[in-house]
Amino acid sequence: MSLGLVGVVVCGNFSRDDFPSGFSFGASSSAYQTEGAANEDGRTPSIWDTFTHAGYVKGATGDRASDGYHKYKLRIVDLQEDVQLMAETGLDAYRFTISWSRLIPNGRGPINPKGLQYYNNLINELISHGIQPHVALHHFDLPEILEDEYGGWVSRKIIKDFTEYANVCFREFGDRVKHWTTISEANAFSLSGYDWGVTPPRRCSYPYGNCSRGDSTTEAYIAAHHILLSHASAYRLYEKNYKDKQHGFVGITIIAHAFVPLTDSKEDEIATKRANEFFIGWFLHPLTFGDYLPLMKKSAGSKIPAFTVQESESVTGSLNFLGLNYYFAVNIKHIPRTLPPEKRDVKADIGIQLLATKNITSQFEYPITPWYLAEILEYVKQHYYNPLIYIYENGQKTRHNSTLEDWPRIEYLHAHIGTILDSIRNGSNVKGYFTWSFLDCFELIDGYESSYGLYYVDFDDPELRRQPKLSAYWYSHFLKRKGITMDI
Ligand SMILES: *[C@@H]1O[C@H](CO)[C@@H](O)[C@H](O)[C@H]1NC(C)=O
Ligand SMILES: *[C@@H]1O[C@H](CO)[C@@H](O)[C@H](O)[C@H]1NC(C)=O
Ligand SMILES: *[C@@H]1O[C@H](CO)[C@@H](O)[C@H](O)[C@H]1NC(C)=O
Ligand SMILES: *[C@@H]1O[C@H](CO)[C@@H](O)[C@H](O)[C@H]1NC(C)=O
């Protein structure tokens, strides 16, 4: 690749050699957002297909998305395809997710040979280019058939089906895949899918959201509980049957927001502390200490499911690493807890309201606030025995149709990578950084209006051609130690 457009950019006083050896730099994607081929080769719908086809994402769907299903590999001589582009960019690693309903179309039972072949091909293509696959098993995309049959994550039946799905993945791919995430953004999936009802499976209740089914006062806790038990069950299975042979690692991913008090009142300040403790601790506390946060048990009372002694033992320590996603800051406002628990949703239990910051509402791109990521890493280090961390998603949103000279993305990546380096130097155990996203793709909230890719995808082009943005050149030069530095 040639630097062409960039000219000389100076400043920035770090390079990738400042990172510890073995640190992985990569980029991320997810199955529904990238693969397309939604109805091909035996794949059945996931809850995300149902959500988009009901029109909840501005009428857009991931039916075709970036067509990653067909375009992972070089087919036409002068058209570079995805894995080759990753290699040329200089990625050490690629985080993708497996579509459960492509691999096991009935949710349980027979494996779809075409699905199996696709993931084998993708993994082999990555390995042959020297790129480490990091794989997540669930990214907002439970097979719809399991949602219909028993309500998906709100039923304990999910534990058995998820564990068997994980078993298939470990067995079939674990000789080559060493980094497994069970669930992506477990906390966001629980809250936005079961309390606010704004993402699949769109369950919630009045007045907390507008859904046709669900119960915002309880279901997020129940879904989260079953996620924890399913995660732990998959972790224990790996430990028992695969770890000795495959030597891999199993973790779970949560999203962290930077919580900032809405006003400088004492109440908002304390509410912000609660928000932070809750958002990180909802999953990390049981995974570290075997039970829910005292804060949550006190505020939600009997609405929080209890772990049996055996479950608690299984959950405690079921984590080789924590995946952490971070994008932006959110304002927190204190809400007095006047309603009884049975009428409160999760935020009302915690006594908080989450509000988009003025920064976010006034500009399309995210404000660049990396110092909050440093605070979150410090918080996790101090409260949870400094776990090994992969940053699996972090990236800048721009309008999809805006220029290829995506300076806001370069500034964002530069600032966050620099901050992570500072945190590592201060003792945080971060082992990898993956930017969201490698390619422009279908976005959860905006469809195709916004994008985060290092590579632009022209969604009107029948070939869905990929074109590097300036950020792809920047990242590539950083990764290849070409000493690219920025004056920002
Ligand atoms: C609730 O959702 C329905 C169906 O999607 C929609 O027609 C209605 O306008 C929504 N109501 C509110 C108050 O948002
Ligand atoms: C808003 O953005 C500015 C500049 O990027 C930053 O200084 C400020 O702290 C941000 N505010 C919040 C609440 O993050
Ligand atoms: C991009 O899309 C936005 C919103 O649809 C529109 O306002 C803007 O004019 C478009 N810009 C270009 C360069 O087409
Ligand atoms: C660095 O780590 C120490 C020990 O955990 C902590 O007290 C200090 O606040 C950290 N510094 C920053 C800038 O986070």
Side-chain angles (χ1 to χ4, degrees), residues 130-376:
I131 300 169
Q132 251 176 47
H134 285 233
V135 177
L137 300 179
H138 182 278
H139 189 93
F140 295 76
D141 61 348
L142 185 79
E144 180 63 44
I145 199 164
L146 300 183
E147 184 76 18
D148 294 343
E149 185 185 321
Y150 53 71
W153 292 103
V154 295
S155 165
R156 280 191 80 92
K157 290 184 178 160
I158 192 68
I159 301 169
K160 185 158 174 278
D161 286 341
F162 181 80
T163 307
E164 185 45 35
Y165 162 51
N167 187 34
V168 168
C169 293
F170 298 153
R171 188 182 70 218
E172 299 293 335
F173 310 126
D175 57 333
R176 289 149 294 157
V177 174
K178 303 301 167 195
H179 295 84
W180 295 101
T181 297
T182 52
I183 313 287
S184 273
E185 297 197 353
N187 52 353
F189 177 69
S190 304
L191 267 183
S192 62
Y194 296 85
D195 178 349
W196 310 340
V198 295
T199 61
R202 203 167 178 274
R203 297 178 68 99
C204 63
S205 59
Y206 183 82
Y208 299 106
N210 180 18
C211 304
S212 55
R213 68 227 156 106
D215 181 352
S216 296
T217 66
T218 56
E219 281 190 359
Y221 293 121
I222 296 168
H225 192 68
H226 296 149
I227 286 172
L228 279 163
L229 295 175
S230 300
H231 160 82
S233 166
Y235 178 94
R236 297 297 166 201
L237 174 81
Y238 189 85
E239 191 177 51
K240 180 160 154 267
N241 293 352
Y242 296 99
K243 183 94 180 172
D244 286 349
K245 276 172 281 173
Q246 301 184 349
H247 310 291
F249 308 94
V250 180
I252 194 169
T253 295
I254 61 172
I255 190 167
H257 297 300
F259 291 129
V260 181
L262 180 67
T263 70
D264 55 15
S265 73
K266 194 79 197 159
E267 282 182 329
D268 284 352
E269 188 194 310
I270 295 168
T272 302
K273 290 214 172 88
R274 287 198 302 273
N276 211 32
E277 192 182 337
F278 154 69
F279 228 73
I280 291 170
W282 189 0
F283 286 84
L284 206 44
H285 200 89
L287 290 166
T288 312
F289 302 110
D291 200 1
Y292 289 109
L293 282 166
L295 161 78
M296 294 178 69
K297 291 171 74 167
K298 188 161 159 240
S299 59
S302 62
K303 297 194 302 179
I304 297 229
F307 292 110
T308 65
V309 172
Q310 202 189 359
E311 285 168 350
S312 169
E313 275 171 13
S314 164
V315 168
T316 310
S318 63
L319 199 67
N320 298 131
F321 64 85
L322 174 70
L324 195 68
N325 298 352
Y326 172 77
Y327 289 92
F328 53 75
V330 172
N331 279 141
I332 296 294
K333 181 175 161 36
H334 167 80
I335 298 295
R337 277 169 273 198
T338 45
L339 292 170
E342 63 276 14
K343 296 210 163 150
R344 303 196 299 230
D345 76 336
V346 178
K347 359 179 240 326
D349 281 334
I350 308 299
I352 55 171
Q353 191 177 346
L354 291 82
L355 300 158
T357 61
K358 282 207 186 69
N359 273 353
I360 289 191
T361 49
S362 65
Q363 65 187 76
F364 193 85
E365 287 86 22
Y366 296 135
I368 298 173
T369 54
W371 50 89
Y372 295 127
L373 175 57
E375 287 175 14
I376 292 161

